[in-house]
Amino acid sequence: MRRGRRILEELDRDIREHIERETQDNIERGMTPEEARYAAVRKFGNVMRVKEDTRDVWRIAWIEELWQDIRYGLRMLRNSPGFAAVAVLTLALGIGANTAIFSLIDAVMLRSLPVEKPSELVVLRWSARKAPRINGYMSSGDCPSNLRFGAANPSGCSFSEPMFREIRNTNQFSGVAAFANAGPLALTGNGPASMISGQLVSGDFFNTLGLRAAAGRVLELSDDSPTAAPVAVLNYGHWQSSFGGARDAVGRTIELNGVAFTIVGVVEQRFTGITPGSDYDVWLPLAAGLRISDPRMWDNRQDKVTFWWLTILGRLKAERPILQAQAAISGIFRNEMLHGSIPLFEAGGMPGPPEPRGGGGPASRQVVIGGPAPAGARAVPPPPVGGSQSSVVVGGGMPPAAGGQGSARVPAPSAPVAQGQAPPDTPNEPRTFSKPDDEPTVTLVNAQTGLTGSRGRFANPLYVLMFAVGIILLIICSYVHRGARPSDRLRKYRESIVGASWITPEGNRGAAGARGGANANRAPALDGKPAFGSDWRHFGNRFCVVGLACDRFFRIEQSAAAADVCNGARSSRAGVHRCRFSSYRSPVRPCASFSQRTCGCNSCIEGRIQRFDENFPGRREKV
Amino acid sequence: MSTKEERERIELLQGTLDLLILRTLLRGPAHGHAIAKTIEFNSDEVLQVEQGSLYPALHRLIKRRWISVEEGTSENNRRAKFYRLTRKGRKQLKVETSKWDKLAGAIARILRPAG
């Protein structure tokens, strides 16, 4: 259009000069100046129309054309209601399915985390060769977890609360947040009792994520202590629906599982949970977990290193690259796991109950009692978890801390238990159990990808569904043009394939191009629930789908109709190969321009210029 | 323009005008009026170009980048816009010419069936 504007600026002058020249030529042919000018102007044609047509070449008039299509299509619908009804119904079903799938995909997969600077957030993931010896493990479904009994190379993202506190104290991150599902919450004190979902979060959860309050305030560090008064922060959508969006909900007291909580605020509207697809009604401080849970289930987990239940997020510091932070955190984790007050993993060569030499798979421990270490002592911690061990590996000397541990309470091992045998005392030589180190490590995973939530489970099925719906739309389009004449069928088939294949990929991906930019700082508006039409992405998708479907459908109809009309014209005026469209009913006039476009014509010049159609030599043009 | 003249006029295809313009410019750049005159002359006055339709055609060709436009002076020292064939346009001319030949051949076969 810019090129056009430049060139069009002088169109008036060009036309004037053209007529000038023609006038001059006419004068040379012997006409008088008035006659010459008159003839020149006549020969040129209608100047206004020429200017309009020329401008049309550059104008992108597709919106007007689309509108004409729609109007014509409605007329066609009135004329043949049966066929139109069936076609419209099937198209509507296809479009509806498409939109539904897209909404689902969008909500689950495409939106970036609704927090401030999501690219700085990392989630902690532990992994090891063997499962840790813990008493309790709870996963809130935030990330893929692999802790089946006996499985090799387990991993997960749940940690104990003492570990969380230790990580927070190391100052590796500019902010650390921990959270976990609060379990079923019975809400009373606000009308009829109901069950709501809630999340237990650390005091600086909201601050770390950079979330603000839409009303009242969010949780602070001071709220997360056993002696602090129990407070709660509401989900914006829940506030609107269950509390009517009343301003005085802040400060109100409600009861969750019988425990009184004061509502101190409502979080901003776009946040419903940090893990994509999560939608919590209320957030409570970690310290409140004890009060609202069954003590037997809760098991005093807030102080236990053997109960892993918290997902931990950290915000990276600008001056600390992720690998440095990861190495530091991993080191802390490892030390704690192997040499902490309660070691939960096995360090290679660590003193423990001796075991009989056993054959068996990679998971079993093989032991060489006594004697020097067959292999060299390992002074450096082994690299992070690789493949499973395949042969007898002798644990060399572990870092000197092995001997100096305090009350090393060795919990019951999960593998076959050893027979007792008095370990020989060789103070100078390290115990040489040929056990491989469990290699507990922590990796920092970018939160956007690490917090999969329902994404992981549904990603593949969703894409398959979207593809399937796309195929269905193609089939629908191919059915729609059954009414076309056989001679046009191939061309129209091609067109409807092209049109339909626009609909799904373009409609979806075009409108959802945000996938690539998911890690950008932009955090698009996130409704409480993904409502139809309330989001530009949904609208864009539906617009593309509906618009393209209608456009394709109507064009095919029109071409078919035009063909019929032209044939009728030819047969009725034998010998005169003329098919002047202007003399026919109005539905036909749009035909001309539309079939031009279906045949790939660049501009739509209406009026007396009509496109030649190979099948219907009756339609012609004037040059 | 009398109706008699109108009836005797042979009506051309829209794409054909583009083709003729491209061919005319093969010989060298020309301004709009000269193009019209050339077409008329070379066709022995059979093809009367409605000169107004020349401009949308030229702009179509410019938009597709088959021709380019530049300022220049005409033969009687008046300024004019000159149109020139581009490399793409040269290629397209070959394509369009062969399409036209095919079309003309097909119609001829129908009109005068062999044998």
Side-chain angles (χ1 to χ4, degrees):
Chain A
M1 190 60 199
R2 271 172 302 146
R3 274 173 74 216
R5 197 173 299 143
R6 229 184 339 112
I7 299 174
L8 282 174
E9 269 164 18
E10 304 176 331
L11 182 63
D12 292 348
R13 192 189 58 188
D14 293 338
I15 294 179
R16 243 199 335 263
E17 288 174 353
H18 185 117
I19 297 182
E20 272 303 315
R21 288 203 174 83
E22 184 65 17
T23 309
Q24 209 47 40
D25 283 358
N26 284 341
I27 288 176
E28 283 164 17
R29 286 198 199 106
M31 297 189 198
T32 67
E34 299 87 38
E35 283 173 0
R37 172 155 283 279
Y38 184 65
V41 168
R42 282 208 79 195
K43 185 154 180 136
F44 193 85
N46 185 337
V47 174
M48 286 312 298
R49 196 167 55 79
V50 166
K51 286 188 189 169
E52 189 62 32
D53 291 347
T54 310
R55 281 181 218 282
D56 270 344
V57 170
W58 296 97
R59 192 180 302 154
I60 305 168
W62 60 276
I63 291 184
E64 289 144 22
E65 291 166 8
L66 188 61
W67 178 238
Q68 274 181 326
D69 279 355
I70 292 174
R71 280 209 318 252
Y72 178 69
L74 287 175
R75 240 177 291 140
M76 285 291 293
L77 285 179
R78 276 199 293 272
N79 289 345
S80 56
F83 172 74
V86 169
V88 166
L89 186 65
T90 44
L91 272 177
L93 282 176
I95 293 171
N98 187 276
T99 310
I101 297 294
F102 174 72
S103 306
L104 200 54
I105 291 182
D106 185 39
V108 169
M109 312 212 44
L110 297 178
R111 298 218 170 135
S112 67
L113 297 181
V115 297
E116 179 161 331
K117 299 214 188 83
S119 52
E120 289 176 0
L121 289 175
V122 290
V123 62
L124 273 60
R125 242 187 114 67
W126 63 266
S127 53
R129 288 191 203 252
K130 284 208 321 266
R133 292 191 282 244
I134 47 181
N135 295 335
Y137 193 90
M138 189 183 90
S139 164
S140 297
D142 300 308
C143 64
S145 180
N146 173 21
L147 192 55
R148 284 186 308 283
F149 180 70
N153 296 330
S155 63
C157 56
S158 294
F159 294 84
S160 66
E161 187 158 345
M163 174 59 59
F164 160 63
R165 286 195 222 116
E166 195 169 334
I167 290 176
R168 190 168 55 184
N169 290 340
T170 65
N171 242 357
Q172 293 291 327
F173 300 111
S174 67
V176 190
F179 51 91
N181 196 321
L185 296 174
L187 169 66
T188 48
N190 184 43
S194 55
M195 296 299 291
I196 60 174
S197 60
Q199 201 176 36
L200 294 168
V201 299
S202 59
D204 41 5
F205 176 80
F206 291 101
N207 288 333
T208 303
L209 296 181
L211 295 169
R212 279 177 284 278
R217 66 172 179 86
V218 288
L219 293 183
E220 307 283 332
L221 259 174
S222 52
D223 296 316
D224 190 13
S225 118
T227 51
V231 293
V233 170
L234 289 181
N235 178 330
Y236 190 93
H238 184 68
W239 176 47
Q240 293 291 328
S241 58
S242 298
F243 291 80
R247 281 273 140 188
D248 68 346
V250 177
R252 219 189 279 183
T253 306
I254 52 169
E255 284 179 0
L256 296 169
N257 289 353
V259 181
F261 280 83
T262 311
I263 299 174
V264 292
V266 180
V267 76
E268 54 183 285
Q269 185 174 3
R270 65 176 180 168
F271 185 75
T272 61
I274 183 63
T275 306
S278 64
D279 189 354
Y280 290 103
D281 296 317
V282 69
W283 286 276
L284 312 172
L286 286 180
L290 172 62
R291 303 193 214 198
I292 57 170
S293 308
D294 181 348
R296 284 168 306 171
M297 295 289 301
W298 185 257
D299 199 21
N300 269 332
R301 59 178 79 163
Q302 74 274 10
D303 295 318
K304 290 193 169 173
V305 296
T306 50
F307 202 121
W308 293 11
W309 62 292
L310 287 173
T311 311
I312 303 181
L313 278 186
R315 186 179 284 282
L316 292 171
K317 283 184 177 171
E319 61 271 17
R320 282 220 129 228
I322 184 171
L323 288 176
Q324 265 189 41
Q326 178 172 295
I329 300 283
S330 191
I332 294 169
F333 181 72
R334 188 192 164 76
N335 272 337
E336 193 54 39
M337 291 300 113
L338 298 179
H339 314 297
S341 52
I342 304 178
L344 300 176
F345 284 101
E346 307 240 333
M350 182 157 173
E355 289 159 314
R357 188 193 297 267
S364 70
R365 305 175 213 169
Q366 305 230 358
V367 162
V368 169
I369 299 181
R378 278 186 302 194
V380 197
V385 177
S388 54
Q389 57 273 26
S390 53
S391 57
V392 175
V393 176
V394 178
M398 276 309 296
Q405 281 308 303
S407 54
R409 185 199 94 180
V410 181
S414 53
V417 180
Q419 296 289 327
Q421 193 175 354
D425 266 314
T426 51
N428 290 335
E429 295 174 46
R431 308 231 48 159
T432 52
F433 294 83
S434 55
K435 277 193 308 249
D437 190 63
D438 285 342
E439 293 178 12
T441 40
V442 166
T443 41
L444 302 183
V445 183
N446 181 281
Q448 182 76 41
T449 45
L451 289 177
T452 52
S454 30
R455 217 190 266 168
R457 266 183 296 152
F458 294 134
N460 283 338
L462 279 178
Y463 281 126
V464 167
L465 267 175
M466 190 167 83
F467 185 70
V469 172
I471 297 280
I472 289 174
L473 268 176
L474 279 178
I475 295 174
I476 290 172
C477 279
S478 71
Y479 266 100
V480 158
H481 74 272
R482 280 256 183 105
R485 304 170 58 84
S487 50
D488 310 311
R489 198 165 276 182
L490 185 61
R491 180 163 54 93
K492 290 188 181 71
Y493 194 80
R494 206 176 53 224
E495 285 159 6
S496 54
I497 297 278
V498 169
S501 60
W502 281 0
I503 291 173
T504 15
E506 283 305 306
N508 287 343
R509 264 164 228 145
R515 182 114 217 245
N519 283 332
N521 288 342
R522 168 190 62 85
L526 183 76
D527 296 330
K529 314 166 228 325
F532 279 69
S534 63
D535 185 340
W536 69 268
R537 257 191 288 221
H538 286 108
F539 180 72
N541 178 54
R542 278 186 308 142
F543 181 77
C544 292
V545 170
V546 171
L548 290 168
C550 291
D551 199 41
R552 284 286 141 198
F553 169 57
F554 295 141
R555 279 186 194 183
I556 291 161
E557 273 304 308
Q558 288 146 10
S559 302
D564 292 329
V565 170
C566 241
N567 267 340
R570 235 176 335 138
S571 58
S572 69
R573 294 161 90 161
V576 178
H577 298 278
R578 249 205 261 229
C579 188
R580 270 184 315 187
F581 277 72
S582 52
S583 64
Y584 281 89
R585 302 188 321 268
S586 49
V588 179
R589 258 197 89 245
C591 279
S593 50
F594 297 147
S595 52
Q596 282 170 31
R597 275 178 285 111
T598 55
C599 296
C601 166
N602 209 11
S603 76
C604 194
I605 299 181
E606 293 199 12
R608 288 186 286 166
I609 298 181
Q610 296 139 12
R611 175 146 178 98
F612 181 85
D613 186 322
E614 286 137 35
N615 297 316
F616 306 103
R619 285 150 53 177
R620 273 100 39 101
E621 296 189 16
K622 292 210 304 210
V623 167
Chain B
M1 237 178 290
S2 71
T3 39
K4 184 169 187 289
E5 286 169 16
E6 199 179 332
R7 231 182 290 132
E8 279 175 4
R9 214 199 267 228
I10 299 176
E11 294 167 356
L12 273 195
L13 322 164
Q14 180 188 54
T16 312
L17 180 58
D18 296 0
L19 177 60
L20 294 177
I21 294 175
L22 288 177
R23 181 64 180 84
T24 308
L25 289 177
L26 187 63
R27 295 209 205 96
H31 59 78
H33 188 248
I35 296 175
K37 285 247 123 13
T38 310
I39 293 177
E40 285 177 9
F41 179 74
N42 284 336
S43 68
D44 292 333
E45 309 297 324
V46 172
L47 297 178
Q48 297 288 322
V49 179
E50 187 180 57
Q51 299 185 338
S53 61
L54 200 62
Y55 284 88
L58 283 169
H59 281 249
R60 254 202 317 279
L61 295 173
I62 295 173
K63 189 177 179 191
R64 289 193 196 137
R65 297 186 200 265
W66 292 351
I67 64 178
S68 61
V69 59
E70 61 206 17
E71 292 288 325
T73 31
S74 68
E75 53 279 351
N76 39 8
N77 275 336
R78 279 215 291 237
R79 61 151 302 286
K81 269 211 172 59
F82 278 78
Y83 302 92
R84 174 202 294 276
L85 204 57
T86 61
R87 200 162 37 93
K88 221 169 152 192
R90 219 174 287 265
K91 254 192 289 187
Q92 198 63 28
L93 175 57
K94 290 203 195 80
V95 170
E96 295 289 324
T97 308
S98 77
K99 276 190 350 200
W100 169 260
D101 289 338
K102 256 192 240 163
L103 181 62
I107 295 178
R109 278 197 293 280
I110 295 171
L111 293 179
R112 298 173 222 289

